[in-house]
Amino acid sequence: VEPTPAAGQAVRYIFSHATAAGPPVELDFESEESEGTKRFFALIGVWFEILRNEQTLFIDEIETSLHPLLLRQLLVLLLSDEYNAHGAQIIFTTHSPFLLDSALLRTDQIWFTEKTATGATQLYPLTDYQPRRGEPLATGYLAGRYGGVPYLPEGIKP
């Protein structure tokens, strides 16, 4: 067991990864771990804190560096009556259509933004479009049905 560092003293974390061929491999958290692992550990402590204390957390681009299935499990935890008995909330932005799933989020929990002709940002709910139960929301979104997608009439050219 390592001694507790003094106030202001840097802490170095080493992660041990099991291998099939031999002894575990140790990786320095800051210099050798993946961005996804770093992002997960940056979020998980705060995630548990808001669940315990009925707080609201705002996260920009929640999917950054996280595997979609890992992110989904974090949201399942948040949406669980068992683990979120105090009504914690997370308000997040994302570009991931993977999260547009009515089995995960209710349609009234999904909002879009879109730039107007004057450059202002407009915020509106998915419920304005009255999607049918079971409708594949990600497919409709990527097809432009709900707006909120980039306008690229001729694609991107050099």
Side-chain angles (χ1 to χ4, degrees), residues 131-158:
R132 294 177 308 281
R133 182 178 300 274
E135 178 178 325
L137 301 176
T139 303
Y141 167 71
L142 292 173
R145 179 163 184 245
Y146 315 125
V149 293
Y151 178 66
L152 302 168
E154 298 180 29
I156 297 175
K157 297 180 180 179

Short mmCIF file of all heavy atoms in Angstrom, two decimals, residues 131-158:
data_model
loop_
_atom_site.label_atom_id
_atom_site.label_comp_id
_atom_site.label_asym_id
_atom_site.label_seq_id
_atom_site.Cartn_x
_atom_site.Cartn_y
_atom_site.Cartn_z
N PRO A 131 -42.38 11.15 -33.47
CA PRO A 131 -41.95 9.86 -34.04
C PRO A 131 -42.84 8.73 -33.55
O PRO A 131 -43.35 8.75 -32.44
CB PRO A 131 -40.52 9.70 -33.52
CG PRO A 131 -40.41 10.60 -32.35
CD PRO A 131 -41.40 11.71 -32.55
N ARG A 132 -43.05 7.76 -34.42
CA ARG A 132 -43.87 6.60 -34.08
C ARG A 132 -43.13 5.72 -33.09
O ARG A 132 -41.89 5.66 -33.09
CB ARG A 132 -44.20 5.80 -35.34
CG ARG A 132 -45.08 6.55 -36.32
CD ARG A 132 -45.33 5.72 -37.60
NE ARG A 132 -44.12 5.22 -38.24
CZ ARG A 132 -43.30 5.92 -39.02
NH1 ARG A 132 -43.55 7.20 -39.25
NH2 ARG A 132 -42.24 5.37 -39.57
N ARG A 133 -43.86 5.01 -32.26
CA ARG A 133 -43.25 4.07 -31.32
C ARG A 133 -42.46 3.02 -32.12
O ARG A 133 -42.96 2.47 -33.09
CB ARG A 133 -44.34 3.38 -30.49
CG ARG A 133 -43.78 2.42 -29.45
CD ARG A 133 -44.87 1.78 -28.61
NE ARG A 133 -45.65 2.75 -27.87
CZ ARG A 133 -45.33 3.24 -26.68
NH1 ARG A 133 -44.23 2.85 -26.10
NH2 ARG A 133 -46.11 4.11 -26.07
N GLY A 134 -41.23 2.81 -31.71
CA GLY A 134 -40.39 1.83 -32.38
C GLY A 134 -39.68 2.35 -33.63
O GLY A 134 -38.92 1.63 -34.24
N GLU A 135 -39.95 3.59 -34.00
CA GLU A 135 -39.30 4.17 -35.18
C GLU A 135 -37.79 4.24 -34.94
O GLU A 135 -37.36 4.66 -33.87
CB GLU A 135 -39.85 5.57 -35.43
CG GLU A 135 -39.23 6.30 -36.59
CD GLU A 135 -39.87 7.66 -36.80
OE1 GLU A 135 -41.09 7.81 -36.59
OE2 GLU A 135 -39.14 8.59 -37.17
N PRO A 136 -36.97 3.84 -35.91
CA PRO A 136 -35.51 3.94 -35.72
C PRO A 136 -35.06 5.40 -35.76
O PRO A 136 -34.90 6.00 -36.82
CB PRO A 136 -34.94 3.12 -36.89
CG PRO A 136 -36.03 3.06 -37.90
CD PRO A 136 -37.33 3.21 -37.17
N LEU A 137 -34.88 5.98 -34.59
CA LEU A 137 -34.60 7.40 -34.47
C LEU A 137 -33.28 7.79 -35.14
O LEU A 137 -33.18 8.84 -35.78
CB LEU A 137 -34.59 7.83 -33.01
CG LEU A 137 -35.89 7.59 -32.24
CD1 LEU A 137 -35.71 7.96 -30.77
CD2 LEU A 137 -37.03 8.37 -32.88
N ALA A 138 -32.25 6.97 -34.99
CA ALA A 138 -30.95 7.29 -35.58
C ALA A 138 -31.05 7.36 -37.10
O ALA A 138 -30.49 8.25 -37.73
CB ALA A 138 -29.91 6.26 -35.15
N THR A 139 -31.79 6.44 -37.69
CA THR A 139 -31.96 6.44 -39.15
C THR A 139 -32.67 7.70 -39.61
O THR A 139 -32.26 8.34 -40.57
CB THR A 139 -32.75 5.18 -39.59
OG1 THR A 139 -32.05 4.02 -39.13
CG2 THR A 139 -32.92 5.13 -41.09
N GLY A 140 -33.75 8.07 -38.91
CA GLY A 140 -34.48 9.29 -39.25
C GLY A 140 -33.63 10.53 -39.08
O GLY A 140 -33.66 11.44 -39.91
N TYR A 141 -32.83 10.56 -38.02
CA TYR A 141 -31.95 11.71 -37.79
C TYR A 141 -30.91 11.84 -38.90
O TYR A 141 -30.72 12.92 -39.47
CB TYR A 141 -31.26 11.57 -36.43
CG TYR A 141 -30.13 12.54 -36.24
CD1 TYR A 141 -30.37 13.90 -36.07
CD2 TYR A 141 -28.81 12.10 -36.25
CE1 TYR A 141 -29.33 14.80 -35.90
CE2 TYR A 141 -27.76 12.99 -36.08
CZ TYR A 141 -28.03 14.33 -35.91
OH TYR A 141 -27.00 15.22 -35.76
N LEU A 142 -30.23 10.75 -39.23
CA LEU A 142 -29.19 10.80 -40.26
C LEU A 142 -29.76 11.11 -41.64
O LEU A 142 -29.06 11.64 -42.50
CB LEU A 142 -28.39 9.50 -40.27
CG LEU A 142 -27.53 9.27 -39.03
CD1 LEU A 142 -26.92 7.87 -39.04
CD2 LEU A 142 -26.45 10.34 -38.91
N ALA A 143 -31.04 10.80 -41.85
CA ALA A 143 -31.70 11.13 -43.11
C ALA A 143 -32.18 12.59 -43.13
O ALA A 143 -32.71 13.05 -44.14
CB ALA A 143 -32.87 10.18 -43.35
N GLY A 144 -32.01 13.29 -42.02
CA GLY A 144 -32.41 14.70 -41.96
C GLY A 144 -33.85 14.94 -41.57
O GLY A 144 -34.33 16.06 -41.61
N ARG A 145 -34.55 13.89 -41.16
CA ARG A 145 -35.97 14.03 -40.83
C ARG A 145 -36.23 15.00 -39.68
O ARG A 145 -37.23 15.72 -39.68
CB ARG A 145 -36.56 12.66 -40.48
CG ARG A 145 -38.02 12.76 -40.10
CD ARG A 145 -38.74 11.43 -40.15
NE ARG A 145 -40.14 11.68 -39.85
CZ ARG A 145 -40.75 11.23 -38.78
NH1 ARG A 145 -40.13 10.45 -37.93
NH2 ARG A 145 -42.02 11.52 -38.56
N TYR A 146 -35.32 15.05 -38.70
CA TYR A 146 -35.52 15.89 -37.52
C TYR A 146 -34.68 17.15 -37.55
O TYR A 146 -34.65 17.91 -36.58
CB TYR A 146 -35.18 15.10 -36.25
CG TYR A 146 -35.75 13.70 -36.22
CD1 TYR A 146 -34.92 12.61 -36.03
CD2 TYR A 146 -37.11 13.46 -36.41
CE1 TYR A 146 -35.41 11.32 -36.01
CE2 TYR A 146 -37.62 12.18 -36.40
CZ TYR A 146 -36.76 11.11 -36.20
OH TYR A 146 -37.26 9.83 -36.19
N GLY A 147 -33.98 17.39 -38.64
CA GLY A 147 -33.08 18.54 -38.71
C GLY A 147 -31.84 18.28 -37.87
O GLY A 147 -31.53 17.14 -37.52
N GLY A 148 -31.13 19.34 -37.55
CA GLY A 148 -29.96 19.21 -36.69
C GLY A 148 -28.76 18.56 -37.35
O GLY A 148 -27.82 18.18 -36.67
N VAL A 149 -28.77 18.42 -38.68
CA VAL A 149 -27.63 17.85 -39.38
C VAL A 149 -26.98 18.93 -40.25
O VAL A 149 -27.65 19.88 -40.66
CB VAL A 149 -28.02 16.63 -40.25
CG1 VAL A 149 -28.45 15.46 -39.38
CG2 VAL A 149 -29.10 16.98 -41.24
N PRO A 150 -25.71 18.81 -40.52
CA PRO A 150 -25.04 19.82 -41.35
C PRO A 150 -25.66 19.90 -42.74
O PRO A 150 -26.08 18.89 -43.31
CB PRO A 150 -23.60 19.32 -41.45
CG PRO A 150 -23.44 18.31 -40.39
CD PRO A 150 -24.80 17.76 -40.10
N TYR A 151 -25.72 21.11 -43.27
CA TYR A 151 -26.22 21.32 -44.61
C TYR A 151 -25.03 21.33 -45.56
O TYR A 151 -24.23 22.26 -45.56
CB TYR A 151 -27.00 22.64 -44.70
CG TYR A 151 -27.52 22.95 -46.07
CD1 TYR A 151 -28.51 22.16 -46.65
CD2 TYR A 151 -27.04 24.03 -46.79
CE1 TYR A 151 -28.99 22.43 -47.92
CE2 TYR A 151 -27.52 24.32 -48.06
CZ TYR A 151 -28.49 23.51 -48.62
OH TYR A 151 -28.96 23.77 -49.87
N LEU A 152 -24.89 20.27 -46.34
CA LEU A 152 -23.77 20.12 -47.27
C LEU A 152 -24.30 19.72 -48.64
O LEU A 152 -24.17 18.58 -49.07
CB LEU A 152 -22.80 19.05 -46.76
CG LEU A 152 -22.20 19.27 -45.38
CD1 LEU A 152 -21.51 18.03 -44.87
CD2 LEU A 152 -21.25 20.45 -45.40
N PRO A 153 -24.92 20.67 -49.36
CA PRO A 153 -25.58 20.30 -50.63
C PRO A 153 -24.62 19.72 -51.67
O PRO A 153 -25.02 18.90 -52.49
CB PRO A 153 -26.18 21.61 -51.11
CG PRO A 153 -25.39 22.67 -50.42
CD PRO A 153 -24.97 22.09 -49.11
N GLU A 154 -23.37 20.11 -51.64
CA GLU A 154 -22.40 19.61 -52.63
C GLU A 154 -21.27 18.84 -51.96
O GLU A 154 -20.24 18.57 -52.58
CB GLU A 154 -21.86 20.77 -53.44
CG GLU A 154 -22.92 21.49 -54.24
CD GLU A 154 -22.36 22.65 -55.04
OE1 GLU A 154 -21.18 22.59 -55.42
OE2 GLU A 154 -23.10 23.60 -55.27
N GLY A 155 -21.43 18.50 -50.71
CA GLY A 155 -20.38 17.79 -50.00
C GLY A 155 -19.23 18.73 -49.67
O GLY A 155 -19.33 19.95 -49.80
N ILE A 156 -18.12 18.16 -49.26
CA ILE A 156 -16.92 18.95 -48.94
C ILE A 156 -15.95 18.77 -50.09
O ILE A 156 -15.66 17.65 -50.51
CB ILE A 156 -16.30 18.45 -47.62
CG1 ILE A 156 -17.28 18.69 -46.48
CG2 ILE A 156 -14.97 19.17 -47.36
CD1 ILE A 156 -16.82 18.13 -45.14
N LYS A 157 -15.48 19.89 -50.60
CA LYS A 157 -14.54 19.86 -51.72
C LYS A 157 -13.25 20.57 -51.36
O LYS A 157 -13.27 21.52 -50.60
CB LYS A 157 -15.19 20.55 -52.93
CG LYS A 157 -16.43 19.83 -53.41
CD LYS A 157 -17.01 20.52 -54.59
CE LYS A 157 -18.25 19.79 -55.07
NZ LYS A 157 -18.87 20.43 -56.20
N PRO A 158 -12.13 20.11 -51.94
CA PRO A 158 -10.84 20.77 -51.66
C PRO A 158 -10.76 22.16 -52.29
O PRO A 158 -11.39 22.48 -53.22
CB PRO A 158 -9.80 19.83 -52.23
CG PRO A 158 -10.52 18.93 -53.19
CD PRO A 158 -11.95 18.95 -52.80
#
